[in-house]
Amino acid sequence: MLEQPAFGLRLRALRKERGLSQAALAAGGLSTGYLSRLESGTRPPTRRVLEHLTRQLGLPPSAFARKSSRSLSQALALAVSSARIGTVADDLAVLLHAGEDRLDPGLRWQSLWLLASVRDEEARYEDAHELLVELGELSESIGIPELTVRARTRLSRCSLRLGNADSARAEAQEAHRLAEGLSVGDRSDALHALIRAEAESGRPDEARAHARELCEITAAEPGPLHVEALWVASTLHARQGDHAQARRLRERALDRLSREKNAWLPWAALLHLRPPGP
């Protein structure tokens, strides 16, 4: 049988796969508090508990058997090279939190980033949020500003998907602050997240001001960054009824596309246009 915390991670994944709440899984044999401690890895399971869980889940005890002797680096390599990353995500999650104190921080960072992406694609936003919070803490301990900015930017986007615009705004503000002096790409990503959060939290003036900043920092950059910035600014003006300015910004975006030398760029840029809001 898996040892903690691997058992708890496996239990939580199986419960969520079946759409069960903690109360439903615990019913008739456990308290929800005890089940919560099992899932967090702070309590070991007994034989009686295992029998109850497998009965409730409709699974044999072998569902909690250790199935992999791979290292985290091997599991990460398999995940990155797989066309269906989700099929190895649970294995990666178990290895990621087993003996995490002994893991190389860079390897752990890559695993958290990848696993958060998988959970996001599966629309498991709460799970993705937990992973991204952990990723942000790890980024700060590693001490590479770019990693911290990227983790906080993604955390902001995830918070917005969960409907928490205020948290998303606070996280994006911190990413924007930390991105000062970094690459235009990192600054641009942080600003996109901040503009979206401000727009969704009812702060149109702040969103417009940051959209202007986004247009300014991307103006000299080749590729689609400036086109995206113009399109976002255009969308904000249109939302607030300033259709003349919105039209001017759209025309500038299309003019920029027409002057790019790369033949593929107009298509790439159009595919990446993501104005804030629904």
Side-chain angles (χ1 to χ4, degrees):
M1 185 171 66
L2 289 169
E3 296 179 357
Q4 290 288 27
F7 179 89
L9 289 166
R10 179 69 173 152
L11 173 60
R12 188 166 186 264
L14 290 170
R15 175 176 64 78
K16 291 200 168 189
E17 283 176 8
R18 283 154 180 74
L20 296 173
S21 65
Q22 286 188 336
L25 182 56
L30 305 174
S31 70
T32 54
Y34 183 83
L35 180 60
S36 179
R37 290 191 290 275
L38 277 177
E39 289 191 354
S40 67
T42 59
R43 290 292 297 270
T46 64
R47 178 174 294 182
R48 183 188 67 80
V49 166
L50 183 62
E51 288 173 353
H52 172 82
L53 293 173
T54 53
R55 184 169 59 252
Q56 293 287 89
L57 292 167
L59 293 168
S62 60
F64 294 97
R66 182 171 291 280
K67 297 179 181 179
S68 175
S69 60
R70 299 188 183 104
S71 67
L72 180 61
S73 59
Q74 291 170 333
L76 181 59
L78 284 170
V80 170
S81 61
S82 174
R84 298 176 62 195
I85 297 177
T87 61
V88 293
D90 287 341
D91 194 26
L92 183 62
V94 167
L95 290 166
L96 178 61
H97 293 96
E100 61 184 67
D101 292 340
R102 300 188 299 274
L103 294 177
D104 173 76
L107 187 63
R108 188 169 157 230
W109 195 96
Q110 293 176 63
S111 301
L112 284 167
W113 180 272
L114 180 63
L115 192 56
S117 298
V118 173
R119 298 310 182 217
D120 192 63
E121 290 174 3
E122 295 170 341
R124 293 169 57 177
Y125 300 129
E126 290 183 359
D127 291 345
H129 192 273
E130 288 181 13
L131 291 163
L132 291 169
V133 169
E134 187 177 350
L135 186 70
E137 294 169 352
L138 177 60
S139 300
E140 291 179 4
S141 69
I142 291 174
I144 299 176
E146 289 87 349
L147 297 185
T148 303
V149 168
R150 292 166 194 177
R152 286 189 175 275
T153 298
R154 283 192 63 185
L155 181 60
S156 172
R157 291 175 181 147
C158 189
S159 292
L160 204 56
R161 290 190 184 97
L162 288 169
N164 196 335
D166 289 334
S167 290
R169 176 173 168 264
E171 289 146 3
Q173 281 179 322
E174 183 64 6
H176 177 235
R177 182 184 70 81
L178 294 170
E180 184 67 30
L182 299 184
S183 71
V184 173
D186 283 319
R187 293 168 66 194
S188 173
D189 285 346
L191 277 167
H192 274 287
L194 180 55
I195 292 164
R196 183 181 288 271
E198 287 169 341
E200 293 303 317
S201 60
R203 293 176 170 84
D205 293 339
E206 294 176 24
R208 267 205 322 274
H210 284 120
R212 285 195 296 272
E213 180 183 347
L214 181 61
C215 290
E216 289 169 3
I217 69 168
T218 58
E221 290 295 302
L225 287 180
H226 190 53
V227 176
E228 293 174 1
L230 290 167
W231 204 270
V232 166
S234 171
T235 302
L236 290 172
H237 281 278
R239 276 186 168 192
Q240 294 166 42
D242 188 354
H243 298 293
Q245 179 64 2
R247 185 173 186 175
R248 284 191 289 270
L249 288 164
R250 283 197 301 271
E251 288 172 350
R252 284 173 57 191
L254 294 171
D255 178 64
R256 179 65 174 260
L257 280 177
S258 69
R259 291 186 284 108
E260 289 290 346
K261 294 180 180 179
N262 295 320
W264 55 268
L265 188 56
W267 300 102
L270 286 170
L271 287 171
H272 284 83
L273 295 181
R274 294 288 185 267

